[in-house]
Amino acid sequence: AEDKPYIALVSKGFQHQFWQAVKIGAEQAAEELGAEVTFEGPDGEGAVDRQMDMISAAIAKKPTAIGIAAIDSQATVPLLKTAQKDGIPVIAFDSGVASDIPLTTASTDNLASAALAADKLAELIGGSGQVAIVSFDQTSQTGIERRDGFVNQIEAAHGDVEIVAIEYGGGDHLKSAEITKTLLQAYPDLKGIFGTNEGSAIGVAIGKKESSSDVVVVGYDSGKAQTDAVRDGTIAGAITQNPVGIGYEVVKAGIAASKGEKLEPHIDTGFYWYDKSNIDDPTIQAVLYD
Amino acid sequence: MNDTTINSSQLGANSLVERAKRNQHRFWAFSGLIFLVIGFSLASPNFFQTSNIISILQATSVNGVLAIAATLVIITAGIDLSVGTLMTFCAVVAGVLLTNLGLPMYIGIPGALLSGFLAGALSGFFVAKLNIPPFIATLGMMLVYKGLSLAICGGRPIYFNDTEGFVDISTGSIIGHIIPAFPIPNGVLILFLVAIFASFILTRTILGRFIFALGSNEEALRLSGVNTDRWKIVVYSLAGGICAIAGILLASRINSAQPAIGQGYELDAIAAVVIGGTSLSGGKGTMLGTIIGALIISVVANGLRILSVPQEWQIVVTGSIIILAVYADQLRRGKT
Amino acid sequence: MNDTTINSSQLGANSLVERAKRNQHRFWAFSGLIFLVIGFSLASPNFFQTSNIISILQATSVNGVLAIAATLVIITAGIDLSVGTLMTFCAVVAGVLLTNLGLPMYIGIPGALLSGFLAGALSGFFVAKLNIPPFIATLGMMLVYKGLSLAICGGRPIYFNDTEGFVDISTGSIIGHIIPAFPIPNGVLILFLVAIFASFILTRTILGRFIFALGSNEEALRLSGVNTDRWKIVVYSLAGGICAIAGILLASRINSAQPAIGQGYELDAIAAVVIGGTSLSGGKGTMLGTIIGALIISVVANGLRILSVPQEWQIVVTGSIIILAVYADQLRRGKT
Amino acid sequence: MNILVDMSGIEKHFPGVHALKSVQFELREGEVHALMGENGAGKSTLMKILSGVYTRDGGSVQVMGQDVDFAGPREAQDAGVGIIHQELSLMNDLTVAQNIFIGREPRNFLGILDEVLLNKNAKDIFEKMNVGMDVGAEVGTMTIAKQQMVEIAKALSYNSKILIMDEPTAALNDTEIQELFRIIDQLKADGVGIVYISHKMDEIKQISDRVTVMRDGEFVGVRDSKDTSIEDIISMMVGRDLELETEQKPDTSDNMTALEVKNLNRGKFVKNVSFSLKKGEILGFAGLMGAGRTEVARVIFGADRLESGEIFIDGEQKFIDTPSKAVEAGIGYLSEDRKHFGLVLGMDVRTNISLASIARFGSSLGILNEAKISKTATDFISKLDIRTPSEKQEVKLLSGGNQQKVVIAKWLLRDCDILIFDEPTRGVDVGAKSEIYKILRDLAASGKAIIVISSELPEILRLSHRIAVMCEGNLTGFLPANSSQEEIMRLATATMQSSNNKNNQISEMSS
Ligand SMILES: Nc1ncnc2c1ncn2[C@@H]1O[C@H](COP(=O)(O)OP(=O)(O)OP(=O)(O)O)[C@@H](O)[C@H]1O
Ligand SMILES: Nc1ncnc2c1ncn2[C@@H]1O[C@H](COP(=O)(O)OP(=O)(O)OP(=O)(O)O)[C@@H](O)[C@H]1O
Ligand SMILES: [Mg+2]
Ligand SMILES: [Mg+2]
């Protein structure tokens, strides 16, 4: 195994399906390119120092390249410097690092994708009315960007739409479902809800079903429960990123970098809107996971 | 025998006072609940509505069942930190049996329950036979179940789409069939059935008697010729089985076994138990109290959301209520 | 007085054996650590290297300091579930003082420490004066600090970019200046200083004496004319102050106060304490044991990562090690 | 003679209990003042008020002429009042010296504890008491007797002018008691006033100058000890006369053997113990504190693991490693520590009585027949004359003697053929004591085989049909019922040199 290139990936999370999809993409690339990968991430929200311990251990293993989805864009910089000193190429994924050390960043534009979700939701509710956000957390970069991207777009482009509540369910299906049911109770005129990641979106869908409400739900990410909900109309549509693609690109970029190849500064892995009408399109199917 | 008579009448009074106090306790916890409900109803017209009450009940179902399991263990002066991840583990087992192996429900569900029992028995074995303090044994097992759930699932949820009727276990409504105005979900019904069952065990059976005795004075029970080790294992097994019920309720409600959920649920469950007046030092406790405690937690969470209190303040209020509830309890018992 | 003499010589022997056992305990925990280090070193050449050892030490610093705080409370037969979120709360206070208010470090850092002391005193007040069981009081406070941290920060981290030298508190290396081959970060140095300080308190001061006495028999201490309430508050305050040190170490290491971190850290800290041989029932414990316990946790986490063990199995192994460590301890004490 | 303490009109209420009703008490300089009364009479409560543990609800307390109102134990100590509590209150994880000086540790100028001086001071106290003690040993590892000595040393260390001793000898053997009495004499000579509480009548006669008797929270009277007979004190205590019945002891030597143990070993407290016990026989186990009698009982009962040895019940060998197996084999054990090992204090009388036999009250599904439990409990309450308002009373609210009867009822209900009573009358007042003796005799008469472990020689002599004596884990000999206290003490202090004689005696007895 000594001769095989080894790519160590340290992500922001580990348990949630999005990260598992990134892992799958990484493993696919590893298989194709004859590399080895490991994939790790802290399991609590925002555990910056835990992630730093993981990066340290990854560097100690002297990998061919290292891929990092930093929880905090600043805190990891000193560690990245160590990697740079040891000659280990660093690839960022999911969100950027406040440093020029990463040779490239493979990520989704969270602000833009959430803005698209805002446009779609506004359109679906007819351009006016109350909406709410059920997000996964209020402190992570991704959580903040998806929330703010949505909020900013509503404020900028949809003056008749009012955001009445922003709640956080930790990405836990059950908690998000309880939150949704309460929102529907508190705001009987609520027209739309944006669930900002997979767990949140599914939770919102469960809450909607249990309340027998016809509120319009817009989700984010995929996963079987969410695609099913899109098919049966519980969720009107969702943004999907390309997590498998992200994982794939990171490994590919890592190996390329180790060979001294030049990399583009940003790999946009893209995002898509999918709903009942296009869910079976090959382009969409390629980026959905379950 | 003048003195004896006086003494015994004093003691009689004493025990009446004691009994009144005990009932008073439940009365107080119950009044606390009523007070909260009235307060929230006045504060928002959206609170006291059938649909919202049903939501609150449904939100209580999983935590309530976990709290019942925790109550059994806590009365023995133990603690079970593994209830949350064990619940998840049992849901995953159900997923493997029903979805991955395609077995029918009448095998899959008992299978999941059995896995809960066995897992509980293992914790019980650690506590009883290896003398590991319950806090540690169940802290360790909490991590073990979490890791195992993730490993078994390979990181992805297992869906129950192929198992017809699975979602109805929790979300269907038998009561709604009979009384359409009150479509109380089966999950809530199951919570109450489990509570009645556990309450029956506690108050009417040998096991219940021993649960209280274990929490009051384990050594005295052992020296009475009771095989305390075996009964402890029975208690933890029973608690494990009840966690499995919670796992099935959860899985049915979200139509999937989500390996990442579970940790953290134990704190909510323990909070419900202590708000309900069960003492962490063992020997005392009621299921009714625990159910009231679980309802208080759900009502607070729901009410604060309905009032649009920002989430960070919701957390602060919940923490304060836990302390307040126990303080009120101490005041009543005259311990302060 | 024949029998007395004989008895007392027996007791002398007894107490020698006891002392040997106590030392043996630390010896065992220490051998466990050595055993793990040797095992991992053999399994991977990347493990036993200066940089990795330093990483392990640095990974221990925050948890180690929290475990020291937890040890003080646990020896009094209490428990502190709020150490993790209190740490975060103190980091946030430091952020507000240093960054938001732009105060200098010599005000900001003492200010953060003071907030830890006061917060600890509040938990101590709940436990001592309001008679709320430590588990509940600190569970409630855990949520309160979490909510407050989020509320103060408005959900976003506070960065310390404007405070020069702040990151050096934890990541700089005074030792590295003197012995460049061992650039041990200051955070590790601070961990050991805090441990020595706490150990001194425990063994050489009246507070330490009372900490053990509280855990052994609080009522006896009270009957000896000691104001147990006051001393309990002192212990919780001290623990709070030590959590504040952990908060500053953490903030300095990540150059920010992250309001969402904290919950869950208490379990790691408590695990370190019990792996280190301090009993949850109070009256016994050493700081050396706790440090060894914290190191064991870090070594296991690091070693398994270096061996590329999948993360779910890392969790399972960690859980098992907690149970095993305590079981080994019980075996040694001949309790099984 | 100066008056040190003058309490009058003292009132104290606990929730539901009027514990003290206008009680008076006076203590003079240099006197030993015995405070007597049945279990629950209020003796400890009165003394806790004097020592600042409780605050009084009414009445006045003067200490050395000053009106006092102590807010806590510390203030009482500062005013010269020291107390040895009835319940041992020591910190098990601390050493002897640390316990004695808790809160008063010698410190150097930096405020750092001076452990060397601490140990030296502790050693000095024990030297003055003429008691050997390892002051660096953890208290939790020591015998109850040793712990009691630590309590006494702690109380002495305050150099109190007023010293309260609440049942200091309940766990002490005769030599230790005599040593304590010597210390008391010395304190008296120094002008210290001592309040002495005990249920042992002979001690009162031996050391007290005056006796105050309480009954049911009320002051009954105060007498000069030398002018008052034990019988008078007893009738003041119980409000009636107690007849001391004498009984003809039956000859049980031809009865069937119920229990035989051979070469039991466990650690240093059970060494090669062999004996046999007949049906209908009461075998008394005498010995000094820590002789290993409790250990023998616990090993037979399976509460502690046996290292080697054989146990035969009705001639059949049994392997007993847990109490549940012992109970199945027909052995019951009543622990010397009823509060910790005998009773579930927080549960009611009926539950405690049924605890060892609960299976009898359950259906095959384990569902309990509550009515049957209550009825059985009420039967025993009347049979043993347990004084409780109802079978649903919590056991912790009963007095010591009645608690002991609940334990006895538990084992009577279990109907074991072999019963081991460990210190059955410890801390039990004189009235309840004779009732317990009667129960034991009746049990033997009904064919049960009984072992009684007791540290009170008069009790052993009064009850036993045969006496086994232990010393340092060895069974040093058997004696007939009519032996003298001196004979027992000789065997109880016999050392290993006499092991040859021991063997002879054993074969003598069993032949
Ligand atoms: N803390 C307490 N709370 C409630 N009741 C109490 C308390 N302490 C004592 N009592 C009650 O007060 C009465 C007197 O008890 P006390 O301990 O003074 O008796 P005593 O004479 O010392 O008996 P003994 O000989 O058994 O030690 C009893 O009825 C007892 O149950
Ligand atoms: N569970 C135990 N663990 C450790 N030591 C014990 C235990 N039980 C008894 N001992 C010790 O064994 C010795 C023998 O005590 P044991 O109680 O058998 O003596 P005894 O003759 O019954 O005297 P006593 O009147 O004190 O009960 C004592 O030193 C006691 O401290
Ligand atoms: Mg008393
Ligand atoms: Mg004994």
Side-chain angles (χ1 to χ4, degrees):
Chain A
E2 280 299 307
D3 39 352
K4 254 191 181 179
Y6 163 52
I7 317 286
L9 301 190
V10 179
S11 89
K12 286 178 190 172
F14 157 68
Q15 304 179 11
H16 287 283
Q17 228 189 328
F18 176 80
W19 300 112
Q20 292 291 330
V22 175
K23 182 178 168 193
I24 287 165
E27 280 164 354
Q28 273 174 18
E31 181 115 333
E32 283 173 27
L33 304 169
E36 232 179 276
V37 294
T38 54
F39 189 95
E40 270 195 299
D43 59 4
E45 9 170 334
V48 182
D49 63 324
R50 304 261 157 106
Q51 188 184 39
M52 289 168 74
D53 294 336
M54 291 176 174
I55 298 173
S56 299
I59 294 172
K61 288 193 270 186
K62 307 191 174 65
T64 319
I66 192 165
I68 291 170
I71 295 173
D72 185 281
S73 58
Q74 298 188 8
T76 40
V77 173
L79 281 170
L80 299 189
K81 284 191 180 140
T82 318
Q84 193 183 34
K85 228 174 31 204
D86 293 357
I88 303 168
V90 177
I91 312 294
F93 66 97
D94 189 62
S95 52
V97 174
S99 150
D100 54 6
I101 296 172
L103 301 169
T104 184
T105 304
S107 67
T108 312
D109 186 340
N110 280 308
L111 284 167
S113 61
L116 175 60
D119 289 338
K120 291 286 183 185
L121 185 58
E123 181 192 320
L124 286 162
I125 63 173
S128 71
Q130 295 180 335
V131 298
I133 302 174
V134 175
S135 181
F136 48 101
D137 76 70
Q138 63 232 84
T139 55
S140 75
Q141 191 70 16
T142 328
I144 291 169
E145 283 180 1
R146 291 205 192 141
R147 179 191 68 201
D148 292 352
F150 186 90
V151 173
N152 294 343
Q153 182 66 12
I154 293 286
E155 282 169 2
H158 308 283
D160 293 338
V161 177
E162 184 197 358
I163 299 173
V164 290
I166 303 175
E167 294 273 349
Y168 305 90
D172 180 310
H173 305 61
L174 201 53
K175 286 190 185 130
S176 306
E178 307 303 0
I179 288 172
T180 303
K181 290 171 76 173
T182 325
L183 288 175
L184 291 172
Q185 191 68 35
Y187 304 99
D189 298 330
L190 197 66
K191 285 211 176 140
I193 303 179
F194 175 38
T196 68
N197 77 343
E198 182 202 349
S200 311
I202 297 170
V204 172
I206 291 170
K208 172 185 172 180
K209 250 194 226 163
E210 289 183 358
S211 308
S212 319
S213 158
D214 51 7
V215 69
V216 177
V217 178
V218 166
Y220 204 107
D221 290 334
S222 51
K224 184 156 172 43
Q226 193 163 187
T227 50
D228 284 353
V230 169
R231 279 180 213 281
D232 72 17
T234 315
I235 294 179
I239 302 291
T240 178
Q241 334 174 53
N242 184 0
V244 180
I246 292 176
Y248 189 94
E249 291 296 337
V250 177
V251 172
K252 200 174 124 193
I255 289 174
S258 71
K259 292 180 184 153
E261 289 169 25
K262 186 113 186 74
L263 298 173
E264 290 293 318
H266 192 252
I267 304 169
D268 190 347
T269 47
F271 58 86
Y272 308 87
W273 167 260
Y274 68 100
D275 55 22
K276 223 191 277 194
S277 66
N278 71 347
I279 189 164
D280 290 318
D281 290 0
T283 32
I284 297 296
Q285 274 298 310
V287 297
L288 297 181
Y289 57 88
D290 55 31
Chain B
M1 299 310 306
N2 181 27
D3 65 312
T4 316
T5 334
I6 289 168
N7 259 349
S8 64
S9 71
Q10 283 175 346
L11 288 170
N14 218 356
S15 93
L16 271 185
V17 171
E18 280 291 311
R19 251 175 260 159
K21 265 192 205 158
R22 242 176 290 153
N23 290 333
Q24 189 193 5
H25 169 71
R26 269 179 258 164
F27 170 76
W28 272 74
F30 191 65
S31 348
L33 180 60
I34 298 298
F35 174 80
L36 286 168
V37 169
I38 293 177
F40 284 126
S41 304
L42 294 179
S44 164
N46 296 322
F47 181 82
F48 200 76
Q49 301 197 345
T50 314
S51 63
N52 195 44
I53 299 301
I54 289 176
S55 293
I56 291 175
L57 289 173
Q58 185 151 26
T60 313
S61 62
V62 168
N63 184 37
V65 173
L66 287 183
I68 289 170
T71 307
L72 293 175
V73 173
I74 289 174
I75 296 178
T76 70
I79 195 149
D80 195 342
L81 298 179
S82 68
V83 291
T85 61
L86 176 54
M87 159 186 84
T88 301
F89 178 74
C90 295
V92 169
V93 170
V96 169
L97 295 176
L98 293 174
T99 302
N100 298 9
L101 302 179
L103 295 170
M105 279 227 268
Y106 63 81
I107 298 181
I109 303 238
L113 295 182
L114 186 67
S115 71
F117 268 105
L118 294 178
L122 189 62
S123 295
F125 174 81
F126 289 152
V127 171
K129 293 288 185 184
L130 307 190
N131 246 318
I132 298 173
F135 190 97
I136 304 302
T138 58
L139 172 64
M141 293 315 289
M142 168 176 100
L143 295 175
V144 169
Y145 298 134
K146 179 178 168 182
L148 285 180
S149 300
L150 289 164
I152 293 174
C153 283
R156 329 158 154 241
I158 303 177
Y159 296 96
F160 292 97
N161 290 344
D162 306 334
T163 309
E164 220 175 298
F166 188 78
V167 286
D168 293 334
I169 294 176
S170 173
T171 54
S173 177
I174 292 178
I175 295 180
H177 270 287
I178 307 166
I179 320 164
F182 284 100
I184 291 177
N186 293 343
V188 178
L189 191 67
I190 291 174
L191 166 64
F192 284 104
L193 290 179
V194 173
I196 290 168
F197 167 74
S199 191
F200 179 80
I201 295 268
L202 265 190
T203 55
R204 304 249 170 258
T205 68
I206 293 181
L207 173 58
R209 199 59 38 99
F210 287 163
I211 288 176
F212 283 107
L214 278 169
S216 299
N217 190 342
E218 182 183 334
E219 188 61 10
L221 186 64
R222 191 176 79 96
L223 291 180
S224 297
V226 174
N227 191 336
T228 45
D229 285 355
R230 196 175 61 199
W231 287 101
K232 256 195 213 171
I233 295 177
V234 171
V235 178
Y236 280 87
S237 309
L238 181 60
I242 295 176
C243 291
I245 296 179
I248 289 169
L249 285 182
L250 175 72
S252 148
R253 199 157 163 219
I254 62 182
N255 194 27
S256 57
Q258 297 281 349
I261 308 191
Q263 198 173 345
Y265 280 60
E266 69 284 353
L267 292 182
D268 268 1
I270 294 170
V273 175
V274 295
I275 291 175
T278 296
S279 141
L280 285 178
S281 47
K284 295 217 180 317
T286 61
M287 286 302 157
L288 184 57
T290 295
I291 296 295
I292 293 175
L295 282 171
I296 286 179
I297 291 182
S298 305
V299 165
V300 169
N302 178 289
L304 293 176
R305 272 185 213 129
I306 294 240
L307 296 183
S308 303
V309 172
Q311 195 157 2
E312 47 273 29
W313 293 108
Q314 292 178 20
I315 300 175
V316 173
V317 170
T318 308
S320 310
I321 282 186
I322 291 174
I323 295 178
L324 259 179
V326 176
Y327 175 55
D329 196 25
Q330 299 286 30
L331 268 191
R332 279 194 302 281
R333 296 191 192 174
K335 279 202 187 159
T336 308
Chain C
M1 297 302 305
N2 182 26
D3 66 310
T4 316
T5 334
I6 289 168
N7 263 351
S8 68
S9 72
Q10 283 173 348
L11 287 170
N14 222 355
S15 94
L16 269 184
V17 171
E18 278 292 309
R19 257 175 252 161
K21 263 190 205 157
R22 242 178 290 151
N23 290 333
Q24 188 195 4
H25 169 73
R26 271 180 256 163
F27 170 77
W28 272 75
F30 191 66
S31 347
L33 179 59
I34 298 297
F35 173 80
L36 285 169
V37 169
I38 293 178
F40 284 126
S41 303
L42 293 178
S44 163
N46 295 326
F47 181 82
F48 200 76
Q49 300 200 343
T50 315
S51 63
N52 195 45
I53 298 299
I54 289 176
S55 297
I56 291 173
L57 288 173
Q58 183 146 31
T60 313
S61 62
V62 169
N63 184 37
V65 173
L66 286 184
I68 289 169
T71 307
L72 294 175
V73 173
I74 289 174
I75 296 177
T76 70
I79 195 149
D80 194 343
L81 298 179
S82 68
V83 291
T85 60
L86 176 54
M87 160 187 84
T88 300
F89 178 73
C90 296
V92 169
V93 170
V96 169
L97 295 176
L98 295 174
T99 302
N100 298 7
L101 303 180
L103 296 170
M105 278 226 269
Y106 61 81
I107 297 182
I109 304 242
L113 294 181
L114 185 67
S115 70
F117 269 105
L118 294 179
L122 188 62
S123 296
F125 174 80
F126 289 151
V127 171
K129 295 288 185 185
L130 307 191
N131 247 317
I132 298 174
F135 191 98
I136 305 303
T138 59
L139 173 65
M141 292 315 289
M142 169 175 101
L143 295 175
V144 170
Y145 298 134
K146 181 177 166 181
L148 285 180
S149 301
L150 288 166
I152 294 174
C153 281
R156 289 162 191 271
I158 303 177
Y159 291 95
F160 292 97
N161 291 341
D162 306 334
T163 309
E164 219 175 298
F166 188 77
V167 285
D168 292 334
I169 294 175
S170 173
T171 54
S173 176
I174 292 178
I175 296 180
H177 270 287
I178 307 165
I179 320 163
F182 285 101
I184 291 176
N186 293 341
V188 177
L189 192 66
I190 291 174
L191 165 65
F192 284 105
L193 290 179
V194 173
I196 290 167
F197 166 74
S199 191
F200 176 80
I201 294 270
L202 266 190
T203 55
R204 304 249 169 259
T205 68
I206 198 152
L207 171 59
R209 185 62 38 88
F210 290 163
I211 288 176
F212 283 106
L214 278 169
S216 288
N217 189 343
E218 186 183 328
E219 184 61 13
L221 184 63
R222 199 176 68 82
L223 291 178
S224 302
V226 174
N227 188 337
T228 47
D229 285 355
R230 197 175 61 201
W231 288 101
K232 257 197 213 170
I233 295 177
V234 171
V235 178
Y236 280 87
S237 309
L238 181 61
I242 295 177
C243 291
I245 297 180
I248 289 169
L249 285 182
L250 177 71
S252 151
R253 186 164 174 219
I254 62 183
N255 193 27
S256 57
Q258 300 275 352
I261 313 192
Q263 197 173 348
Y265 281 59
E266 70 283 353
L267 293 181
D268 268 3
I270 294 170
V273 176
V274 295
I275 290 175
T278 296
S279 140
L280 286 178
S281 47
K284 293 205 186 316
T286 61
M287 286 302 156
L288 185 57
T290 294
I291 296 296
I292 294 175
L295 282 171
I296 287 179
I297 291 182
S298 305
V299 164
V300 169
N302 178 286
L304 294 176
R305 275 180 204 137
I306 295 267
L307 296 183
S308 302
V309 172
Q311 195 163 353
E312 48 273 30
W313 293 107
Q314 292 180 21
I315 300 174
V316 173
V317 170
T318 309
S320 311
I321 282 185
I322 291 174
I323 295 178
L324 260 178
V326 176
Y327 176 55
D329 196 26
Q330 300 286 29
L331 268 191
R332 277 195 303 279
R333 297 192 191 173
K335 278 205 191 159
T336 307
Chain D
M1 222 185 268
N2 281 331
I3 297 203
L4 293 177
V5 174
D6 188 3
M7 305 174 83
S8 63
I10 304 295
E11 291 282 333
K12 182 71 186 174
H13 295 264
F14 292 114
V17 180
H18 193 170
L20 296 177
K21 300 164 199 160
S22 192
V23 175
Q24 66 190 68
F25 182 76
E26 182 198 78
L27 179 67
R28 295 178 193 153
E29 198 173 60
E31 79 164 341
V32 174
H33 195 144
L35 185 55
M36 305 289 292
E38 285 185 302
N39 294 125
K43 308 179 293 289
S44 300
T45 305
L46 185 66
M47 289 303 115
K48 282 181 178 171
I49 286 174
L50 178 55
S51 58
V53 176
Y54 292 156
T55 50
R56 60 182 187 269
D57 298 340
S60 72
V61 180
Q62 283 191 344
V63 171
M64 288 178 259
Q66 301 283 317
D67 272 315
V68 292
D69 201 355
F70 300 133
R74 191 50 171 272
E75 286 184 17
Q77 282 160 13
D78 292 345
V81 181
I83 182 166
I84 300 168
H85 286 285
Q86 178 174 11
E87 313 285 337
L88 280 174
S89 52
L90 294 169
M91 290 145 284
N92 283 342
D93 302 299
L94 269 50
T95 67
V96 171
Q98 290 170 350
N99 261 286
I100 290 175
F101 291 104
I102 190 77
R104 300 173 296 152
E105 289 80 358
R107 278 171 271 183
N108 68 16
F109 62 98
L110 288 172
I112 296 167
L113 299 179
D114 187 342
E115 211 74 359
V116 177
L117 184 58
L118 180 78
N119 284 330
K120 191 189 155 298
N121 290 349
K123 231 178 244 149
D124 287 349
I125 293 176
F126 285 106
E127 260 159 36
K128 223 163 79 189
M129 288 168 64
N130 194 16
V131 169
M133 180 75 72
D134 175 3
V135 297
E138 265 181 39
V139 163
T141 64
M142 306 183 359
T143 59
I144 301 288
K146 283 274 164 192
Q147 294 184 4
Q148 187 67 63
M149 283 299 179
V150 176
E151 283 273 25
I152 293 168
K154 182 174 170 187
L156 293 179
S157 74
Y158 285 99
N159 292 319
S160 308
K161 198 73 181 118
I162 297 147
L163 186 54
I164 303 159
M165 300 186 171
D166 197 348
E167 301 199 30
T169 57
L172 297 189
N173 68 39
D174 277 343
T175 17
E176 286 157 340
I177 291 172
Q178 292 316 316
E179 197 56 46
L180 176 66
F181 287 177
R182 200 188 54 71
I183 296 167
I184 289 178
D185 281 340
Q186 207 175 310
L187 291 169
K188 254 172 84 165
D190 295 344
V192 176
I194 293 166
V195 185
Y196 191 91
I197 302 175
S198 174
H199 289 293
K200 298 182 182 171
M201 295 297 161
D202 47 336
E203 294 179 353
I204 303 306
K205 212 51 199 160
Q206 192 181 340
I207 59 156
S208 73
D209 301 306
R210 287 198 294 165
V211 185
T212 288
V213 177
M214 293 175 64
R215 188 189 332 136
D216 192 25
E218 282 175 283
F219 171 81
V220 176
V222 57
R223 301 275 189 279
D224 277 335
S225 304
K226 58 178 189 301
D227 306 335
T228 317
S229 71
I230 288 184
E231 286 69 30
D232 288 345
I233 298 175
I234 291 176
S235 65
M236 281 168 80
M237 280 169 58
V238 300
R240 67 191 152 100
D241 289 327
L242 262 170
E243 74 283 11
L244 282 179
E245 71 281 29
T246 43
E247 185 227 21
Q248 198 60 34
K249 289 184 180 164
D251 178 14
T252 55
S253 53
D254 293 338
N255 290 8
M256 298 254 294
T257 299
L259 170 74
E260 180 161 22
V261 303
K262 290 185 181 159
N263 300 316
L264 297 188
N265 276 294
R266 177 183 161 87
K268 55 184 175 199
F269 296 114
V270 184
K271 295 182 204 151
N272 267 321
V273 169
S274 305
F275 67 88
S276 66
L277 174 66
K278 309 260 186 209
K279 291 193 159 104
E281 180 183 36
I282 300 181
L283 176 61
F285 264 71
L288 300 177
M289 200 67 41
R293 296 161 297 168
T294 296
E295 282 278 293
V296 168
R298 287 177 61 92
V299 153
I300 293 172
F301 189 60
D304 292 324
R305 210 171 300 143
L306 191 58
E307 278 161 12
S308 68
E310 295 170 320
I311 298 173
F312 298 88
I313 289 167
D314 294 334
E316 197 182 320
Q317 184 164 11
K318 300 274 182 187
F319 299 93
I320 294 171
D321 57 0
T322 59
S324 54
K325 284 191 192 158
V327 172
E328 268 165 41
I331 306 176
Y333 170 63
L334 288 80
S335 163
E336 60 187 327
D337 186 346
R338 62 173 168 266
K339 287 204 163 127
H340 291 114
F341 300 147
L343 293 166
V344 184
L345 287 176
M347 299 183 97
D348 56 16
V349 172
R350 56 199 280 280
T351 305
N352 273 283
I353 291 179
S354 62
L355 209 54
S357 334
I358 197 108
R360 250 183 261 174
F361 300 98
S363 70
S364 53
L365 284 174
I367 297 163
L368 290 170
N369 182 340
E370 301 286 351
K372 199 166 142 199
I373 295 178
S374 285
K375 171 152 192 331
T376 311
T378 355
D379 287 352
F380 275 102
I381 287 169
S382 57
K383 199 152 115 198
L384 300 186
D385 192 19
I386 300 174
R387 287 164 221 173
T388 170
S390 87
E391 80 281 5
K392 294 202 171 126
Q393 183 73 347
E394 276 184 33
V395 162
K396 69 171 170 226
L397 298 170
L398 302 190
S399 79
N402 286 306
Q403 289 182 351
Q404 186 69 35
K405 286 190 199 167
V406 172
V407 184
I408 294 174
K410 174 171 83 177
W411 289 107
L412 291 185
L413 173 59
R414 191 64 178 80
D415 198 22
C416 294
D417 295 328
I418 301 160
L419 285 165
I420 307 174
F421 289 82
D422 197 350
E423 308 283 3
T425 63
R426 178 172 286 176
V428 166
D429 67 50
V430 61
K433 229 177 208 175
S434 54
E435 289 173 41
I436 290 173
Y437 291 161
K438 184 169 175 323
I439 294 169
L440 288 181
R441 285 202 203 93
D442 291 349
L443 281 172
S446 73
K448 307 276 183 205
I450 292 175
I451 293 174
V452 173
I453 300 172
S454 173
S455 297
E456 288 184 52
L457 289 183
E459 179 165 297
I460 290 275
L461 289 167
R462 195 164 152 194
L463 279 173
S464 311
H465 303 163
R466 194 160 57 108
I467 300 164
V469 188
M470 287 192 68
C471 174
E472 292 169 36
N474 296 290
L475 220 169
T476 47
F478 294 93
L479 292 168
N482 53 6
S483 309
S484 68
Q485 298 206 8
E486 287 68 35
E487 283 173 287
I488 296 177
M489 283 312 291
R490 193 174 52 77
L491 286 177
T493 52
T495 41
M496 288 307 294
Q497 290 102 7
S498 57
S499 56
N500 297 339
N501 310 354
K502 179 187 75 180
N503 289 340
N504 295 344
Q505 278 162 342
I506 288 172
S507 46
E508 211 174 283
M509 286 305 301
S510 48
S511 62

